[in-house]
Amino acid sequence: MTLTDVSVSTLAAPHPLGSLSTAEFTAIRDIVINADGFTDTTRFAYVGLAEPHKREVLAWQAGTGPLPDRKARVMLLDMATGRSTDNIVSLGGGAVGGGVIESTHVLDGSAGQLPILDTEFEAIAGIVNADPRWVAALAERGTTIDEVVVVPLSAGYYDLPEEIGRRIVRVLAFRQDYPTDHPWAHPVDGLCAYVDTAAGTITRLIDAATVAIPAEGGNFNDPAVQGEPLTTLKPIVISQPEGPSFAVDGEWVTWANWKFQVGFDTREGLVLRQLSFTDAGEERPIIYRASINEMLVPYGDPSPVRFWQNYFDTGEYLFGRYTNSLALGCDCVGEIRYFDAVLADELGNPFTIPNGICMHEEDVGTLWKHSDLFTGAHEVRRQRRLVISFFTTVGNYDYGFYWYLSLDGTIECEAKLTGVLFTSAYPGIAAPGATHDAGADYPYASEVAPGLGAPYHQHLFSARLDMTVDGTANAVDEIEAVRLPMGPGNEHGNAFTMKSTRLASEAASGRLADASVARSWHIVNTEKTNRMGRPTGYALLPEANPTLMADPQSSIAKRAEFATKHLFVTQYDPSEKYAAGDFVHQNPGGDGITKYIADDASIDGEDIVLWHTFGPTHFPRVEDWPVMPVDYAKFTLKPYGFFGANPTLNVPASEPVAHCSHGGEPEVHAAHASPAAASAASAAGGSACAGHADHA
Ligand code: CO
């Protein structure tokens, strides 16, 4: 399948996959606030593009179908009553004023709640501070409501009768010693309030034990804490004197052989769509849509004030709305192209996060190289990649998500984790049954500063990869290395081979990575073949970090089945967007992937979606405090039989400029490499860099 080349700028109507514009957000707001049932206390919990069915988009692009209608999904919460609805709004063929609410689903709370609103967060301090039990518990710990900040956190689901159908958050306190003091250094442990945000009351106060509040500050931005600045670092300047190599048309980007759309969503943040690679003049699709659709941060501390810590930063908090504006610089270097992110606030009004998405090129070292013994050929080419990224701040943590597209067809997604650890007092409170003495090791946290704990936890990201490898007829083969027994045909016992197992259906698609056999998953086209007659494909190369560590019977395991495996594969269904379901907040479980695979649809030769879980299991280091150097987690998609050979043979050799010289003196180059040697290298198709290396 070749996608029709559609230039967005020539279209009167927006591209069906284009992010909602400011004007569209305004139109949606007007449609919603004028509809029946909208009250003064109704807030917009989510507004985003309701994407047309993939089939309709592809038909339109192929010229065989009409332009699909523009629609939006709008989630509304009445703060006074808790009434929650999930609506589809039709924008009326793009004509502002012509739209209607097409459908409304009323949530009954039994299968999760709408995401937590900032409006609810903002009300929390007033609610807990007005409760004398909270004030008394703080006094027991030698502090007051004026000295602490409160941190409202998603509640999870624990079958407490007073929480059924109610909007609940759990609240921890941190002492802030002065206005610029970072409160994460001073957790008020042993205390937690469960709060009904609609009723404005504490439903339960957990006052487990009185623990000393850690005293040492964590003000990493205080020069006194930072110490004498390192003075030996000289500037590094990235220079692209002829500008970047990409071209941008609205949200559509072309770079080298790549083409794709840069989209943005309030829930998922950066969304990449319709990634294709032009190979010998043919635009070949690879991924229809890629995003981090969910992420879960489950904590392993069974303390009575922390056992419920399981944050779904995407489904519960909508991490896209906390996207950083990169306008202040320092986040990206080189020739940067920023994209703004446009969202709706909780009143439905559009607002813009300027420079929310960053795009730039990077030199990443050697692409390929050989010095040949027999022919004397010296060849080296440099790899470069296009980086599309955003950063979001969710409470204490900051997450960057970086997509890398390389010249050789490799696609990588890297999560960067930084910010401040979530803290506890250390030694903490012993779990029931655990033996624990003050000063002894606490089995569920690291001591990162004197008396300050950082509970063990995981960061489990779910990438939703809606694949279209050479079209929509795809399948997944599990590939692994197999040691063969010594015997007839393998007399010397050296034999090993590659085993390929087709994943037949959704129910059998839940798979674990296994580094001991280099397990990977090949997404192959079941109709297209390469020049050897084998299916064209892309390999998903996982990191083999642990999946969800919580017990399979735990609440969180039921709520996050996606995180119990590294891979699930489902047949494309436009309603299946989020690995933990649409309504994650207080969802009792059995949603998302659990539901999506229940009908056990075929995934062999079908339009398929991969759900890949990756991310670190974090035993915090002392060095992660008071601010954490970036930790990384990633996965890679590599062409595997997609091309007929190395697709980068035509990448030109680099000019022999300053970066090939030593000591910053370009003339050194000429001194080492004689003109004759340099021209010989050129004649052989090599660069003078290679010639230089020969003489070095
Ligand atoms: Co962590």
Side-chain angles (χ1 to χ4, degrees), residues 434-592:
T435 55
H436 176 251
D437 301 307
D441 282 345
Y442 184 64
Y444 310 111
S446 305
E447 188 173 18
V448 295
L452 184 69
Y456 302 154
H457 59 278
Q458 299 182 281
H459 303 263
L460 299 168
F461 307 104
S462 173
R464 182 180 181 277
L465 303 167
D466 182 346
M467 303 302 294
T468 47
V469 177
D470 264 335
T472 53
N474 285 180
V476 178
D477 292 330
E478 180 167 285
I479 304 296
E480 54 192 36
V482 178
R483 178 183 293 119
L484 295 173
M486 193 181 280
N490 182 27
E491 283 78 6
H492 304 286
N494 64 302
F496 70 95
T497 188
M498 191 179 98
K499 185 173 116 188
S500 174
T501 310
R502 176 69 46 97
L503 302 184
S505 67
E506 291 177 336
S509 74
R511 303 298 300 160
L512 290 170
D514 184 350
S516 72
V517 293
R519 186 175 290 163
S520 66
W521 297 288
H522 289 190
I523 305 103
V524 295
N525 190 294
T526 53
E527 294 169 355
K528 302 278 172 62
T529 54
N530 61 23
R531 65 197 181 99
M532 273 64 72
R534 298 200 171 83
T536 59
Y538 256 74
L540 170 59
L541 307 176
E543 290 184 331
N545 283 318
T547 53
L548 184 70
M549 292 301 297
D551 189 279
Q553 295 305 309
S554 65
S555 166
I556 189 57
K558 294 187 178 77
R559 299 179 65 216
E561 184 169 356
F562 78 89
T564 66
K565 306 284 184 185
H566 293 104
L567 180 73
F568 283 97
V569 185
T570 57
Q571 196 181 107
Y572 171 83
D573 179 332
S575 71
E576 297 177 354
K577 294 187 70 179
Y578 308 115
D582 288 15
F583 307 111
V584 182
H585 183 34
Q586 294 176 261
N587 191 310
D591 216 328

Side-chain angles (χ1 to χ4, degrees), residues 14 21-31 90-100:
S21 66
T22 300
E24 288 178 315
F25 276 112
T26 303
I28 293 161
R29 179 202 62 197
D30 291 345
I31 294 163
S90 170
L91 281 159
V96 171
V100 292

Side-chain angles (χ1 to χ4, degrees), residues 145-421:
I145 57 171
D146 298 323
E147 290 177 350
V148 304
V149 295
V150 297
V151 180
L153 299 155
S154 55
Y157 184 87
Y158 295 94
D159 215 13
L160 300 175
E162 74 274 19
E163 296 188 351
I164 308 289
R166 309 296 302 175
R167 289 181 65 81
I168 304 293
V169 295
R170 309 202 196 282
V171 180
L172 299 174
F174 293 80
R175 200 184 66 208
Q176 189 174 31
D177 292 347
Y178 46 93
T180 57
D181 184 39
H182 286 267
W184 306 109
H186 314 297
V188 180
D189 211 330
L191 178 65
C192 178
Y194 298 179
V195 172
D196 179 332
T197 60
T201 55
I202 294 180
T203 60
R204 284 189 195 210
L205 188 76
I206 311 301
D207 191 348
T210 302
V211 190
I213 299 172
E216 186 177 291
N219 298 319
F220 55 88
N221 52 340
D222 178 348
V225 173
Q226 291 173 344
E228 278 299 306
L230 199 57
T231 56
T232 53
L233 300 179
K234 301 204 164 33
I236 295 177
V237 176
I238 308 296
S239 167
Q240 292 183 267
E242 296 174 37
S245 317
F246 49 75
V248 179
D249 182 1
E251 292 184 315
W252 291 84
V253 177
T254 51
W255 175 78
N257 291 309
W258 290 100
K259 180 178 178 184
F260 59 96
Q261 182 222 3
V262 176
F264 182 85
D265 177 77
T266 301
R267 182 161 178 160
E268 300 167 281
L270 174 60
V271 178
L272 297 182
R273 293 191 183 86
Q274 297 204 318
L275 266 134
S276 66
F277 192 100
T278 298
D279 172 30
E282 185 193 357
E283 193 179 312
R284 299 174 63 189
I286 300 165
I287 303 180
Y288 182 78
R289 188 184 193 282
S291 68
I292 301 298
N293 79 88
E294 190 52 88
M295 66 164 284
L296 167 64
V297 189
Y299 282 74
D301 186 350
S303 150
V305 295
R306 261 190 299 285
F307 66 88
W308 46 265
Q309 279 191 313
N310 295 303
Y311 311 130
F312 291 82
D313 286 343
T314 311
E316 292 173 335
Y317 296 107
L318 305 186
F319 75 16
R321 67 184 163 151
Y322 301 123
T323 294
N324 292 186
S325 176
L326 303 171
L328 299 178
C330 301
D331 286 291
C332 308
V333 292
E335 286 284 324
I336 306 302
R337 172 63 157 82
Y338 290 110
F339 296 84
D340 293 345
V342 184
L343 311 79
D345 68 16
E346 291 175 5
L347 297 173
N349 298 317
F351 74 98
T352 298
I353 300 172
N355 302 349
I357 296 165
C358 169
M359 182 170 78
H360 70 287
E361 285 173 281
E362 285 178 355
D363 179 295
V364 279
T366 304
L367 169 61
W368 52 262
K369 176 179 169 72
H370 182 56
S371 299
D372 195 77
L373 175 65
F374 299 108
T375 67
H378 306 286
E379 297 271 353
V380 61
R381 297 294 185 277
R382 294 195 69 77
Q383 175 69 292
R384 65 169 81 181
R385 64 189 182 189
L386 187 66
V387 186
I388 312 103
S389 68
F390 79 110
F391 245 102
T392 177
T393 302
V394 192
N396 54 305
Y397 262 108
D398 302 75
Y399 296 99
F401 296 93
Y402 285 62
W403 292 85
Y404 303 119
L405 307 178
S406 293
L407 291 176
D408 66 347
T410 300
I411 302 164
E412 294 159 284
C413 174
E414 183 172 69
K416 299 187 181 186
L417 302 86
T418 180
V420 180
L421 295 166

Side-chain angles (χ1 to χ4, degrees), residues 80-118:
T81 63
R83 184 175 191 268
S84 302
T85 62
D86 179 20
N87 308 274
I88 296 296
V89 173
S90 170
L91 281 159
V96 171
V100 292
I101 296 183
E102 205 174 80
S103 68
T104 296
H105 161 63
V106 182
L107 280 70
D108 66 6
S110 65
Q113 296 272 351
L114 296 184
I116 306 169
L117 275 66
D118 283 333

